[in-house]
Amino acid sequence: EQASEKDEEKILEFLFAQFGLSEPISKSIKLTKGDAIELFCDNAKQGSNKYSTLAYDGDRLVGLCLCSLKDSDTEDTLVPAEVDFENHDCAEDIKKGPYKEHKANEIVTLVHALEDSLKRLIGKHKKVLKIDILSKGLGKALTRRAVEIALTERCDWVVTTATSSASQRIFAKAGLRVIYEIPYEHFRENGNPVFQNLYDGCSAGRAMAVNLFVCNIMQISLNTDDIYQHDGTANAIEFARKVAADYDARDIFEPFAIIDLDVVKKQLDLWKFALPSVKPYYAVKCNPDLNILKTLSANGACFDCASITEMHQILSNNLAASNEIILAHAIKSRQCIQYAIKNGITM
């Protein structure tokens, strides 16, 4: 059932009794109830909302999926710089943590570092459902429910940070992909790895995400204000006739294209498989439709631009960082060169 503020105490009890202290990273640092009280209180408070799901067996709470909804239009959208953890010691970061207990700060510093990678991926103007805590046992069903909530709320992304092998497998089966990881051997404090010898054999904390925008097959009109969607069961010809009939009814005489975004993604996956060491740069002029560009961006493509318009389209929609864009037109105007230099784009 849907969680609410009145469930905060019940959630906190569950975290202590059934979940938090038995997690692999918690076990590895011998986290105690005293160490975790502030951290778990925050988790329970933040998770006591309508986006979280509680599972009961009769009156007994047996599982939970604590979620939070983030809207980058209304919240702080400062994108943190990436940290090279192989050459970075986290002692000062842990020391500056929000809690009194040192071990709680060790955990939250790792989680925040993974969350920072999600901010870099998603950027601004996105609605995101974040899965904060997922309990064992009913993980698959609870994750599926979280995705359903995200779709209902018209979210762009579902994201999470996963620190155990079990949770990473569950999220992967639900369609979330690893977009960043911090190997535990690289997460060090005063030269020593903080989390060692995890009993489940997990080697890294991982940030995982699924872009809900690219999960469906969509028809995209050349007029980008007209977007249709079907569930994948319709025949392409029948679907085209349906769109054409709608255009006729509205006296629209422009052409339209039917594009399967799954095929776009599969072509990019094929490139990565065949040429794993070659970074693909998509030529925006081939088809600058925003839906295609979002699909490519979400799956790791960079972009080849030939004009100010194309560079602005990629940057303004947060589809790539400046170092993931090249200005490759053979003939460049002064204004085009100035725009590229101003925005740190390679020529």
Side-chain angles (χ1 to χ4, degrees), residues 214 216-218 258-271 292 295-296:
V214 300
N216 298 305
I217 298 173
M218 301 186 72
I258 294 177
I259 299 171
D260 186 339
L261 295 180
D262 279 346
V263 172
V264 175
K265 177 181 173 300
K266 287 175 183 176
Q267 290 296 96
L268 185 57
D269 288 342
L270 179 61
W271 176 292
I292 292 176
T295 302
L296 293 167

Side-chain angles (χ1 to χ4, degrees), residues 228 240-254 256:
Y228 298 75
R241 286 172 177 161
K242 180 179 178 181
V243 175
D246 177 65
Y247 270 37
D248 286 343
R250 293 191 288 150
D251 291 327
I252 297 174
F253 303 105
E254 297 175 356
F256 62 86

